[in-house]
Amino acid sequence: MTRAGILMVLIAKWLLEHDPEARILVITDRDELDKQIVGVMRNAGVIGENSPSPRITSRADFVEKLAATTPRLLCALIHKFDVADLKGPGPTVHGRFYVFVDECHRTQGGDMNKQMKRWLESAIFIGFTGTPLLRKDKPMTRDVFGTYIHTYKFHEAVADKVVLDLKYEARAVPQQLRSRKAIDTWFEQKTKKLNNFQKAVLRKGWATMEALMSAGERKQRIIASIIEDFSLKPRLNNDRGTAILVAASIYDACHYFRLFQNTNFGPYCGIVTSFEPNHNAISREPPNSDERYKFDTYTQHVLKKDQTTKQYEDEIKRRFIQEPANLKLLIVVSKLLTGFDAPSCTYIYLDNELRDHNLFQAICRTNRLDGDDKDYGYIVDFKELFGDVQNAIAVYSSDELDIDAGNGGDNNVRLKNWLEEGRKQLDDARQALHYLCEPVPQPGEMEQFLHYFCGDAANPEALTTTEPLRVSFYKAVTLFTRAYADLAQDMTEAGYSEAAEAAIKRDVEFYVETRAAIKKHSGEEFDIKPYEADMRHLINTYIQADDAEPLGEIGEMSLTELIIQTGIHDAIARKLNAKGKLSKNAVAEGIINNIRKTIIRDQLTDPMFYGQMSKLLDDLIKQSRADIEAYEEFLRKAEELVKKLTAKEPGDGIPALLHGKREATVLFNNLSTIPADGFRYPTTDEDRAALALKIDSAIREHAPAGWYGDQAREAQVLNELFPLLDRDRTATQALFEIIKKQSGYQ
């Protein structure tokens, strides 16, 4: 949603809550925007989840609702104002109307604006526009909107984190004219009946090479470039990001679409244009005409049998927004370039000469916020619209802009020199990482990093205490790696010497390796954030790594699982200390941290059992590992502890009737420790086992399907437990918390 849309929602919500007479009318000029605004209004609670839609369906419906007292919120297209009679009496209007006009510069200069102000003459009007205000339009702007105009500039929105900044890249597609003689012959043949002036005009048009810009070979190169991006670029390569390709005409869009269908990428492409296939309109077109080509594209390649264009476009837009993994690329001409919000959209490929605010509106399809892994909106320009990217380029030059005091000053939107900006980001990220790691004790090698970011393994709270440090380190390494990846192929152009480039690459390799080691050491190797997939790709693409041996499923196992599968020495060699850089003490602390992580993670599934395991871990921590013999004894006991953790076999004192009944055994173990007000647990093992079996049977027989996480159904389970625990609410709730953690009951 745009900032204008968000403002509309917030103002509407406040007015409806604080002014009992207030009624809100939101005016847009396109169905797409109308739907978006209604959706956001509903999500923000301005209208109830089950309330009827406030959208106006007809002019008659509009007139009727203006005169009624409800609904208080109306959403209508500007076209619902009837301009057939600009002098007759307007409809009856009830309430104090506040009118929000979206995209007002496109809609408010004609008769519909006049009629709107006649019908709602006592209303307060607020207009929203993304169009820069030009001096040549000043009279119209002041006449229609008044003298107070507040501006919110692009760089301010980026600083406020309302939108993302933009990155621009010009990509040339080299073309050669292979036979000048053949072209000259064709030209003379086709222009025999033209005079010299007409020939000159035609030749000038040809000289611009525009006739060649839609050549199939050129499109094939652009398609190859786009497909390569989807295999290499962050977000595009992990099914979270999408892209829009802007073609120069409907014919070109159809041509692109059909060429994409000849590739493996074809099923992930959609097309949205203003073309509507019509059998009658095409009946007299020759077989090789552009119109016939467009018609055949839609009827044979785009639309399914009996599917309308609207049905197709609605489904394509839904998939593009909600299923980025299944619809990666939209090919468009002019539709969807304004007001279309798809946060997944990260790249826009320009193969059309858009200008001025139309260009800016189009490229802003890419800069909507969408999670931590989306840093920028990316513009890839195949038409070289902006010339040299190293110069700051404005959408409008300042002498064209209306920059009166009421307009807020310079309104230019400028694209930065991204080599300079990229170098600044890389240097800043590297410096921030150095500052963060400065307290690491000397000699600043792997073991010191592990101890600094994970703490002393003998301290049960060490991992928790140092967690903020680790999270900061993980994020800092990610930012540094991303910044390096952005410049990796242009380090020389960005001004780095060979020595500086080599030093930065060594830093990236060291920090990436250290980050992985810390995650393993702390038992956090599966602490995956949304941007991790991109980071793995960047590492694989830009960082030289040792060849990995195939490990099958081992790569997906935690250290404790790997110890069970392969033995402790093999697990250490494969996972914890693969490069052989850690001391015995560092390896021991890594094992302790991983065991503790397992105990803490599963503690609530069986508090008694994991309490015992925690005591065994304390004993292990105290175990000497001063020499080789003591170290080997430590490893042997660590392996025994891990096997006990994994097996979860009943210990001594578990009655035979509970053997093989995992969940009932957990209940038996914990009945004597749960907090209670009046309940007194049985004192003999036999009676406690009998009660555990009774509870186990009650849950299995009476708990409703899908009860876990459903408040009403969980209440049914509590009702089954309540009488079995002497109607003690405290004991019932305490035991229920243990029961919820048992996968066998879910």
Side-chain angles (χ1 to χ4, degrees):
M1 193 67 188
T2 63
R3 185 175 186 268
I6 295 169
L7 278 173
M8 284 185 200
V9 172
L10 295 176
I11 297 172
K13 190 169 185 178
W14 189 91
L15 286 170
L16 292 174
E17 289 175 356
H18 291 82
D19 183 354
E21 294 294 316
R23 297 185 73 189
I24 308 296
L25 172 61
V26 180
I27 295 293
T28 61
D29 67 333
R30 283 179 297 117
D31 196 57
E32 187 74 34
L33 282 174
D34 202 31
K35 288 179 182 176
Q36 285 181 19
I37 290 170
V38 170
V40 176
M41 289 283 189
R42 200 179 291 281
N43 291 337
V46 179
I47 51 178
E49 185 176 347
N50 299 316
S51 300
S53 172
R55 297 183 71 196
I56 300 299
T57 57
S58 68
R59 284 178 175 168
D61 179 41
F62 189 25
V63 170
E64 180 183 338
K65 286 181 177 174
L66 285 175
T69 56
T70 60
R72 296 180 68 197
L73 172 69
L74 302 175
C75 295
L77 299 181
I78 186 70
H79 315 93
K80 294 296 186 289
F81 287 99
D82 187 356
V83 296
D85 182 3
L86 291 174
K87 296 181 180 179
T92 303
V93 176
H94 187 279
R96 184 167 27 248
F97 266 95
Y98 298 85
V99 183
F100 301 160
V101 185
D102 196 24
E103 298 291 351
C104 57
H105 252 87
R106 289 209 306 250
T107 64
Q108 296 305 296
D111 288 343
M112 283 182 283
N113 167 258
K114 294 176 183 176
Q115 190 70 300
M116 180 175 70
K117 288 186 175 178
R118 285 185 66 250
W119 284 15
L120 299 161
E121 58 184 359
S122 61
I124 294 176
F125 292 86
I126 304 175
F128 299 87
T129 180
T131 303
L133 307 180
L134 303 183
R135 279 205 173 108
K136 64 185 177 65
D137 297 329
K138 181 174 180 177
M140 172 68 76
T141 298
R142 294 295 186 262
D143 290 346
V144 174
F145 302 107
T147 57
Y148 179 76
I149 297 177
H150 173 265
T151 61
Y152 186 64
K153 292 179 270 299
F154 180 71
H155 70 274
E156 294 174 327
V158 172
D160 290 345
K161 301 188 185 304
V162 175
V163 296
L164 299 173
D165 212 339
L166 299 167
K167 277 195 173 182
Y168 170 84
E169 174 189 352
R171 289 187 194 171
V173 184
Q175 296 187 112
Q176 294 180 351
L177 195 58
R178 294 177 180 172
S179 175
R180 169 60 66 181
K181 183 178 179 181
I183 295 297
D184 289 342
T185 301
W186 174 91
F187 185 85
E188 290 301 325
Q189 180 68 28
K190 293 294 181 181
T191 60
K192 284 181 179 179
K193 297 181 180 181
L194 301 181
N195 60 37
N196 289 335
F197 175 78
Q198 291 169 324
K199 287 183 179 182
V201 171
L202 183 60
R203 191 177 291 279
K204 182 179 179 181
W206 180 262
T208 65
M209 297 292 287
E210 286 301 313
L212 295 181
M213 292 299 272
S214 61
E217 184 177 341
R218 177 180 179 277
K219 285 197 181 80
Q220 293 282 20
R221 293 183 183 181
I222 289 174
I223 287 171
S225 179
I226 291 172
I227 292 176
E228 183 181 28
D229 283 351
F230 272 90
S231 67
L232 294 178
K233 298 295 186 182
R235 278 183 63 86
L236 295 186
N237 72 336
N238 71 351
D239 292 338
R240 282 180 50 79
T242 54
I244 290 176
L245 168 61
V246 186
S249 66
I250 295 175
Y251 173 87
D252 282 342
C254 291
H255 194 189
Y256 267 121
F257 184 81
R258 286 169 72 160
L259 290 174
F260 267 112
Q261 300 313 302
N262 296 328
T263 71
N264 293 333
F265 200 76
Y268 304 103
C269 295
I271 181 172
V272 175
T273 74
S274 59
F275 184 74
E276 187 69 47
N278 185 313
H279 286 83
N280 294 329
I282 207 71
S283 59
R284 297 184 180 181
E285 290 288 336
N288 297 322
S289 70
D290 287 1
E291 290 301 313
R292 173 66 68 176
Y293 186 87
K294 293 186 288 187
F295 179 84
D296 291 346
T297 299
Y298 268 78
T299 56
Q300 298 174 20
H301 301 278
V302 177
L303 302 178
K304 298 176 183 176
K305 185 178 180 182
D306 298 326
Q307 186 182 37
T308 67
T309 307
K310 183 179 185 307
Q311 289 170 339
Y312 168 79
E313 289 185 2
D314 286 347
E315 174 60 13
I316 283 295
K317 288 185 288 187
R318 185 196 66 78
R319 287 170 56 197
F320 189 74
I321 294 170
Q322 299 178 13
E323 301 176 12
N326 296 322
L327 204 290
K328 299 174 184 291
L329 182 73
L330 265 184
I331 304 168
V332 306
V333 180
S334 57
K335 290 182 74 172
L336 306 189
L337 293 185
T338 59
F340 177 59
D341 277 320
S344 64
C345 185
T346 308
Y347 278 71
I348 188 166
Y349 296 96
L350 299 177
D351 195 30
N352 187 8
E353 290 194 358
L354 301 173
R355 296 296 182 193
D356 301 332
H357 69 269
N358 290 328
L359 174 60
F360 182 59
Q361 290 259 18
I363 63 182
C364 283
R365 297 312 97 210
T366 67
N367 70 345
R368 301 299 190 255
L369 306 178
D370 189 34
D372 292 341
D373 61 333
K374 186 175 179 182
D375 298 326
Y376 300 96
Y378 292 86
I379 309 152
V380 178
D381 177 13
F382 290 110
K383 289 276 191 174
E384 298 185 56
L385 301 179
F386 292 107
D388 186 358
V389 73
Q390 296 191 27
N391 296 323
I393 301 165
V395 172
Y396 294 98
S397 58
S398 59
D399 59 350
E400 289 178 329
L401 287 169
D402 177 9
I403 53 172
D404 291 348
N407 190 34
D410 186 2
N411 209 20
N412 279 358
V413 179
R414 303 185 184 278
L415 290 174
K416 301 177 181 65
N417 179 335
W418 280 110
L419 283 176
E420 292 179 4
E421 191 72 16
R423 174 166 183 160
K424 181 179 183 302
Q425 290 179 355
L426 178 57
D427 291 343
D428 288 349
R430 188 186 186 199
Q431 186 178 52
L433 198 47
H434 282 316
Y435 283 150
L436 181 63
C437 298
E438 198 170 22
V440 175
Q442 291 301 314
E445 295 180 350
M446 189 67 73
E447 191 158 335
Q448 289 76 39
F449 271 82
L450 294 177
H451 195 269
Y452 178 72
F453 285 103
C454 299
D456 184 353
N459 179 3
E461 303 298 323
L463 286 177
T464 303
T465 304
T466 55
E467 183 178 11
L469 265 179
R470 289 196 302 282
V471 170
S472 297
F473 180 73
Y474 298 156
K475 289 182 177 179
V477 174
T478 300
L479 291 174
F480 180 40
T481 309
R482 277 177 171 274
Y484 172 71
D486 281 345
L487 276 186
Q489 295 176 324
D490 303 296
M491 296 289 280
T492 302
E493 290 81 355
Y496 290 104
S497 65
E498 288 187 12
E501 181 179 349
I504 291 172
K505 186 174 182 181
R506 283 195 301 272
D507 277 356
V508 173
E509 291 171 345
F510 173 76
Y511 284 121
V512 166
E513 182 182 336
T514 303
R515 181 182 186 274
I518 290 172
K519 284 187 145 244
K520 292 175 183 176
H521 195 76
S522 62
E524 293 173 337
E525 62 264 50
F526 292 115
D527 183 24
I528 304 298
K529 302 291 188 295
Y531 48 77
E532 296 265 306
D534 284 345
M535 184 175 174
R536 282 196 299 274
H537 161 72
L538 297 175
I539 293 168
N540 293 336
T541 304
Y542 296 108
I543 307 300
Q544 183 69 40
D546 297 335
D547 292 336
E549 296 181 8
L551 299 178
E553 295 181 357
I554 286 175
E556 299 300 319
M557 292 181 179
S558 68
L559 181 65
T560 52
E561 291 170 328
L562 197 54
I563 290 172
I564 297 298
Q565 183 83 9
T566 66
I568 194 163
H569 289 91
D570 198 22
I572 292 168
R574 291 191 177 196
K575 189 133 191 159
L576 189 60
N577 194 24
K579 294 185 179 289
K581 295 183 178 181
L582 302 183
S583 67
K584 292 185 296 182
N585 194 56
V587 169
E589 291 199 347
I591 293 169
I592 290 167
N593 283 333
N594 277 266
I595 294 173
R596 177 175 283 120
K597 200 83 174 178
T598 302
I599 292 172
I600 292 172
R601 184 191 64 206
D602 298 333
Q603 183 81 38
L604 289 180
T605 63
D606 190 346
M608 177 67 77
F609 172 78
Y610 285 101
Q612 295 170 353
M613 294 299 103
S614 187
K615 290 178 182 177
L616 291 177
L617 178 61
D618 289 340
D619 293 339
L620 181 66
I621 291 170
K622 297 172 185 175
Q623 174 85 34
S624 172
R625 41 189 188 268
D627 53 35
I628 293 177
E629 187 175 337
Y631 179 66
E632 288 298 324
E633 178 65 11
F634 167 85
L635 295 181
R636 185 184 66 77
K637 290 189 175 181
E639 187 168 12
E640 287 178 3
L641 177 54
V642 169
K643 288 180 177 178
K644 286 181 180 179
L645 270 175
T646 306
K648 297 181 183 176
E649 295 174 351
D652 297 336
I654 302 296
L657 74 163
L658 293 178
H659 288 189
K661 296 179 173 62
R662 167 66 190 153
E663 289 77 22
T665 301
V666 171
L667 298 179
F668 171 84
N669 281 337
N670 292 280
L671 274 172
S672 60
T673 62
I674 59 172
D677 293 329
F679 172 71
R680 295 292 179 267
Y681 62 86
T683 55
T684 67
D685 287 351
E686 290 75 13
D687 290 343
R688 207 160 78 249
L691 178 58
L693 284 173
K694 186 182 292 186
I695 295 170
D696 180 75
S697 298
I699 296 168
R700 295 186 188 281
E701 293 172 10
H702 301 293
W707 65 269
Y708 182 79
D710 184 307
Q711 189 172 1
R713 295 180 180 183
E714 285 187 358
Q716 291 179 248
V717 178
L718 284 165
N719 288 337
E720 292 294 330
L721 292 176
F722 195 47
L724 298 177
L725 298 177
D726 296 340
R727 310 185 73 79
D728 186 320
R729 295 187 182 279
T730 301
T732 300
Q733 189 62 50
L735 191 62
F736 182 63
E737 292 303 317
I738 296 173
I739 289 169
K740 284 203 301 185
K741 301 296 181 182
Q742 309 307 311
S743 58
Y745 290 146
Q746 296 175 12

